[in-house]
Structure formats: C-alpha cells, structure tokens
Amino acid sequence: MCGIVGIVGNSAVNQSLYDGLTVLQHRGQDAAGIVTINDNMFRLRKANGLVKDVFHTRHMHRLQGNIGIGHIRYPTAGTSSSSEAQPFYANSPFGIALAHNGNLTNFDELKTWLFDTARRHVNTTSDSELLLNILGHELAQTQALKLTPEDIFQAVNNVHKRIRGAYATVALIIGHGMVAFRDPNGIRPLVFGKRETEHGVEYMVASESVALDACDFEFVRDVAPGEAIYFTEDGKMYSQQCAEAPTYSPCIFEFVYFARPDSTIDKMSVYATRVEMGKKLGEKIAREWDDLDIDVVIPIPETSCDIALQIAQQLDIPYRQGFVKNRYIGRTFIMPGQEMRKKSVRQKLNAISAEFKGKNVLLVDDSVVRGTTSEQIIEMARAAGAKKVYFASAAPEIRFPNVYGIDMPSANELIAHGREVDDICQLIGADELIFQDIEDLVAAARTFNPEVKRFETSVFNGKYITNDIDQGYLEKLDAARNNESKEQTDKNADSIIDLHNEGA
Ligand SMILES: O=P(O)(O)OC[C@H]1O[C@H](OP(=O)(O)OP(=O)(O)O)[C@H](O)[C@@H]1O
Ligand SMILES: NC(=O)CC[C@H](N)C(=O)O
Ligand SMILES: [Mg+2]
C-alpha cells in the first residue's frame, strides 16, 4: 500500500505535504517523495527511507511553491530502487508529475503498447511510471495550448479504458493545476478536503482522512470510484465522473490492517469497523468455544488492539496488554523481505510474564498472512509461562495472492494457502485457532455504509473484481515477485540507470 497527498494552496505547501505524508507513513516505509511547482518548474526530492529521513532542511528549502504532491511507497511492482520512488516525472505534454497508490494488472500489455504505438519510453519497471505516460499520452491527444477541464476529464476517461487494476492517483500539470482520480472500482481510498484562508480556499487530496486532519483541512468527501477532480492553479475546482460503469468495491483489507483507525474511508470509520469485527468474532468464539477456559484476552499490538478489547468485553473476560511494543520499530508486514520481517517481530514485541504465567490466554490479531507474527508470538507466550495459547484472527484465512497494491504476490508464501484451520493451528503452534467468517467481516464494514454492496475480497476468496486475473497471470506474478526473486531483483536494482538521481 502506498500513501498519496496533493495540495493546491495560496502559500508554500512543502510543510503541509510533509506533515500529510508523516501521518500516512503506516501505508509505506520504503521510500518517500515530494514534487512542488515553483515558477513553472518542478522541484523534486525523493529517496528510499522514512519521511523523517528523506527530507532534511535543505530539501524542504528546495521544495518551493504553492502547489505540490507527495508519496510514500510500499512497492508492489518493479524494484525497491530509489529510481522507482515517486512522484514520477514526464516532460510531455506541458510537464507532468504523478503519484500512485495501487497496482496495474495489465502492465505487460501497456508497456508494449506505450513503446510500439504511443512511442513513449519508460525507464524503470514501475507500473506507476507507465500510468504517468499513459496519462501523458491521453493529455497530448488534444492539441490545445491550454487544457480545459473537459480535456482533462476526457483524458482520464481514456486512461480508464486503457488500464486495469487499482489506482488512486494524483498528478500535477505545469501551467494548469492538479488532477486526482480513482479507479472505476474505487479499490484504493482517496478523499479531498478544503480550508479557507484569508487569500481564498485551498484544497487537499489524500489517501486517508487523517492526513486532512493533520494539515487542518476540513474533510469534504471521498473521491467517487471513476471520478476525476481537477483543481486549477488559481484555486478553481471541477469534478466529473469519467468511468463508464463505476461500482464501489473498496478493498476490505484497508479496514482489517492498512488504514489508520482514525480514518474514515467511503463513509466507514476504520475504528468502528474494527470494533464491529471484534464484536462479530467475539460472538463466534462464544458460539464455538463455549467449553474453553480463557483467563485473559491479549492483543498483538498494534492494529488488533481495538478488536481484542471488544472481544474481551463480548466474552466478559479481562483484557490485558501483555505484549509491549517497541515504538521505534515500524510495521513488520510491509517490510520488504521475509528475513527482516522475521527478525523485527522479536525486536518489536516483548511479553510481560505476569500476564501469561499459568494462564490460558487468547491472543488476538487482525490477520494472519505469512504466519511470521503468530508463530513467534505464540512461542513468546509459552516462554512467558502461558498454560494454553488460543489464537483468534479477525480476518478470515488469507489464501490467495493480491494484485491490487498489497504485496502478497505468492500463494505459497501465505500460511493458509491450501490449508485448513487445523493444519494452520499446528503450524503456528496454537492450542486452538479461530478465524472470522468472510460474511461477518463484510457485514462489519457495511454496518456503517450499507450503500457499499461489494468489497474487494480476493485474498480471501480468489475472486478478482477486475475479471482479468487467471492462473497464468498469478503464476507469472509469483515467479517475478516471490521472496527469492524479489531479493534477486532488489540486489540488482542499484545497477538500474537512474535518470532521477537521488541526490543529496
Ligand atoms: O502473518 P504475518 O505475515 O505476520 O502478517 C500479519 C501481521 O502483520 C501485521 O502487523 P504489523 O507488525 O505489520 O503492524 P501493526 O503494528 O500495525 O500490527 C498484522 O497486524 C499482523 O500482526
Ligand atoms: N502499494 C502501492 O500502492 C504501490 C504503488 C506502485 N505499484 C509501486 O510499486 O510503486
Ligand atoms: Mg500486527
């Protein structure tokens, strides 16, 4: 998952973009970047690392201008090289910079078409650079020297026709302004807000509403699936539906894990959804495990805390924070390699023995993906003296790869792939294991917005809503991005000719 922000303001936007990216850091820890426009010139800083490490004072000084976009990256295509950090830049037409959250599924076809037919070259293996060039190609179709809002909406309409997959996107066009759009299924989130200043209104778009809060922008609404919003440099706003058959199908995993609890996505509060997930899982535990003697409910920090508290209340059993989280270690699931993820669990979490000694504990996590966390945490609970260790996952079994912006490319790396609950229970070393039902997970989110009829749930049921994913595609993806090949590609990534030099 990545995070994107964009601001059209009346004064310097660099600090607000930085602040917005900082509160979206949970969506990607690999790279960060900001582009602003000053005197019709792009100003860029991007590099691998966390927001706080990428932008030093000298870079902030460089990022002059009242309009800009930013990105934090969690790679799902290409390599982790700094040359694939975003935003990306293309010089034609006008000069465009683009930031993207999501993943395109017709990458190969697009790359061939772009070079052979549109005569545009991309210099990296990033799908986002393809998206930028396709937007550029479509914007170039009108020969006008100044693009009208209609020209921009027509270009986005054509982009929707060419590309498939998930994309929440924000782009700057020199001499014009900022355009933001969301794929026709609305898989990835995108919101916009405004703030009144003495010099007029300012606009901000962001992956999550928390970024608006942090920058003092008032939430206006979600960008609709398929919709494009165009903000001119001088503060006018235009919006239009640019897709032929848009349908709301937001990614359910945003609610399970990715998004911050204080965000609201498509009118559904992430926090309230997690509490509801806890309620439903608590009911299932009460139904199916009425003979189990649980002494205490313990969350696996951090994402599962709200869920576990609700389960404890539901079961009328004490809730205890038996694991202490090291606040200086980031999220482990979105780390780039399995070795690093494995090591980080121990560095990140430590047990308080008193909460485990001689007790039957129920450990709660939001999800079990590769099993990296659950396996080690159960071992830690036993080492701390637990009598029995029961384990509950607030998401169902994750059995299928993700192709829409979550880096789970390989079915074989998923602990639940091809396995039933008993086998998984044995593998992670629990005494008993229970998963949320998919119907309950969907119902938990829909409680807060029944208008959303469908969610993107492919990791649980293998149904890919863009209808373009077959076994052949998944096999190719697996071969290209499983742990081993990713390590290899990343090792070679430094030798990529970097046109966008990281600089100092
Ligand atoms: O089965 P796995 O492959 O281990 O993945 C699942 C775990 O990873 C995530 O935690 P993470 O440490 O990334 O972040 P958090 O602190 O927000 O819970 C998630 O919350 C689970 O705990
Ligand atoms: N997680 C994401 O949204 C990734 C965006 C893009 N596919 C990349 O790899 O850079
Ligand atoms: Mg976790």
Side-chain angles (χ1 to χ4, degrees):
M1 206 60 40
C2 295
I4 60 174
V5 290
I7 300 178
V8 178
N10 301 313
S11 56
V13 290
N14 50 1
Q15 190 60 46
S16 293
L17 289 170
Y18 179 99
D19 295 343
L21 289 182
T22 302
V23 295
L24 293 180
Q25 189 78 79
H26 59 282
R27 299 182 67 84
Q29 302 167 165
D30 276 40
I34 291 179
V35 166
T36 57
I37 302 178
N38 187 39
D39 280 342
N40 275 350
M41 302 277 272
F42 281 129
R43 305 290 181 112
L44 167 72
R45 166 65 182 166
K46 62 176 180 177
N48 284 344
L50 299 175
V51 175
K52 69 175 174 44
D53 301 320
V54 168
F55 303 99
H56 301 160
T57 309
R58 64 185 183 280
H59 306 121
M60 296 303 280
H61 284 317
R62 190 196 295 169
L63 296 167
Q64 302 285 316
N66 298 355
I67 174 167
I69 60 176
H71 187 266
I72 45 111
R73 181 167 191 234
Y74 157 63
T76 59
T79 70
S80 312
S81 158
S82 59
S83 61
E84 299 195 8
Q86 302 193 32
F88 274 105
Y89 160 71
N91 81 342
S92 168
F94 305 106
I96 317 172
L98 175 141
H100 162 221
N101 169 209
N103 202 60
L104 304 188
T105 52
N106 57 339
F107 182 96
D108 293 341
E109 172 196 321
L110 290 173
K111 188 154 190 174
T112 310
W113 178 84
L114 256 184
F115 190 74
D116 291 353
T117 311
R119 300 184 300 173
R120 292 182 80 107
H121 169 67
V122 295
N123 210 57
T124 68
T125 46
S126 161
D127 58 333
S128 310
E129 195 184 7
L130 285 180
L131 171 48
L132 162 67
N133 277 277
I134 288 174
L135 178 65
H137 170 82
E138 296 303 343
L139 288 171
Q141 296 313 299
T142 154
Q143 301 299 319
L145 294 179
K146 182 90 186 173
L147 299 171
T148 63
E150 288 66 37
D151 294 332
I152 288 178
F153 295 140
Q154 186 55 52
V156 174
N157 188 298
N158 295 345
V159 168
H160 284 325
K161 287 188 186 135
R162 288 204 190 279
I163 68 178
R164 287 196 298 271
Y167 45 100
T169 311
V170 62
L172 295 176
I173 308 169
I174 294 273
H176 291 79
M178 177 171 91
V179 57
F181 54 95
R182 200 170 167 195
D183 67 72
N185 290 298
I187 299 175
R188 293 284 147 242
L190 193 60
V191 296
F192 83 94
K194 64 176 187 185
R195 91 180 153 193
E196 306 284 347
T197 71
E198 53 187 276
H199 304 294
V201 62
E202 299 185 315
Y203 291 101
M204 176 169 185
V205 297
S207 295
E208 291 183 33
S209 57
V210 279
L212 302 181
D213 300 343
C215 299
D216 256 343
F217 277 76
E218 178 197 334
F219 172 84
V220 176
R221 64 175 173 84
D222 298 277
V223 177
E227 185 186 26
I229 305 189
Y230 172 43
F231 307 89
T232 61
E233 277 177 329
D234 54 358
K236 293 193 194 66
M237 182 194 129
Y238 303 86
S239 65
Q240 196 172 103
Q241 177 51 255
C242 297
E244 251 134 57
T247 43
Y248 249 118
S249 313
C251 170
I252 197 93
F253 211 65
E254 291 278 351
F255 296 89
V256 171
Y257 168 71
F258 270 110
R260 256 174 61 149
D262 44 344
S263 280
T264 298
I265 298 177
D266 295 322
K267 302 189 185 141
M268 295 165 277
S269 148
V270 175
Y271 170 77
T273 300
R274 288 194 186 144
V275 172
E276 195 62 24
M277 281 159 61
K279 187 164 164 241
K280 295 207 182 295
L281 185 55
E283 285 164 3
K284 183 170 175 184
I285 293 171
R287 243 181 2 252
E288 300 198 358
W289 282 359
D290 57 345
D291 54 334
L292 287 195
D293 182 14
I294 303 167
D295 296 315
V296 61
V297 176
I298 296 179
I300 298 171
E302 171 166 347
T303 301
S304 71
C305 294
D306 303 326
I307 302 168
L309 180 59
Q310 186 59 32
I311 292 180
Q313 277 181 9
Q314 203 76 22
L315 300 175
D316 202 15
I317 293 172
Y319 168 88
R320 293 279 186 270
Q321 299 227 345
F323 291 106
V324 175
K325 185 185 145 202
N326 178 343
R327 69 182 72 216
Y328 301 102
I329 304 280
R331 296 184 111 183
T332 48
F333 172 71
I334 58 173
M335 285 176 177
Q338 184 59 8
E339 271 315 302
M340 198 183 202
R341 283 192 287 260
K342 234 174 156 166
K343 215 171 115 204
S344 296
V345 175
R346 291 264 174 196
Q347 289 176 337
K348 180 170 162 174
L349 298 167
N350 195 28
I352 298 175
S353 300
E355 292 300 349
F356 292 87
K357 219 173 185 70
K359 293 185 189 168
N360 295 337
V361 300
L362 170 61
L363 304 185
V364 177
D365 211 346
D366 51 86
S367 55
V368 177
V369 185
R370 299 176 179 90
T372 322
T373 309
S374 40
E375 198 186 325
Q376 294 191 58
I377 233 59
I378 290 169
E379 241 177 68
M380 278 157 81
R382 292 203 195 281
K387 223 165 43 179
K388 295 255 175 183
V389 183
Y390 309 124
F391 199 98
S393 162
E397 297 90 319
I398 293 173
R399 296 206 162 100
F400 301 91
N402 186 284
V403 297
Y404 301 125
I406 307 176
D407 198 31
M408 297 180 197
S410 172
N412 294 324
E413 290 168 10
L414 304 171
I415 194 166
H417 175 69
R419 293 197 180 96
E420 290 310 319
V421 180
D422 288 349
D423 309 320
I424 308 166
C425 182
Q426 218 182 344
L427 271 178
I428 63 173
D431 290 294
E432 295 288 341
L433 171 66
I434 196 163
F435 286 94
Q436 181 97 268
D437 293 327
I438 177 99
E439 298 74 23
D440 283 345
L441 173 59
V442 168
R446 286 198 68 216
T447 314
F448 305 99
N449 187 0
E451 279 167 30
V452 175
K453 303 272 183 280
R454 179 172 86 153
F455 285 84
E456 200 300 290
T457 54
S458 54
V459 296
F460 304 116
N461 57 16
K463 291 185 188 147
Y464 296 92
I465 54 172
T466 48
N467 292 326
D468 57 337
I469 307 302
D470 55 20
Q471 199 46 38
Y473 182 94
L474 293 177
E475 278 165 22
K476 240 174 108 181
L477 178 70
D478 185 345
R481 290 195 63 79
N482 67 36
N483 252 323
E484 252 168 62
S485 23
K486 228 179 337 180
E487 266 167 34
Q488 209 46 44
T489 348
D490 281 345
K491 230 183 265 162
N492 298 335
D494 288 343
S495 60
I496 286 180
I497 298 166
D498 185 358
L499 287 182
H500 311 275
N501 218 303
E502 183 178 333

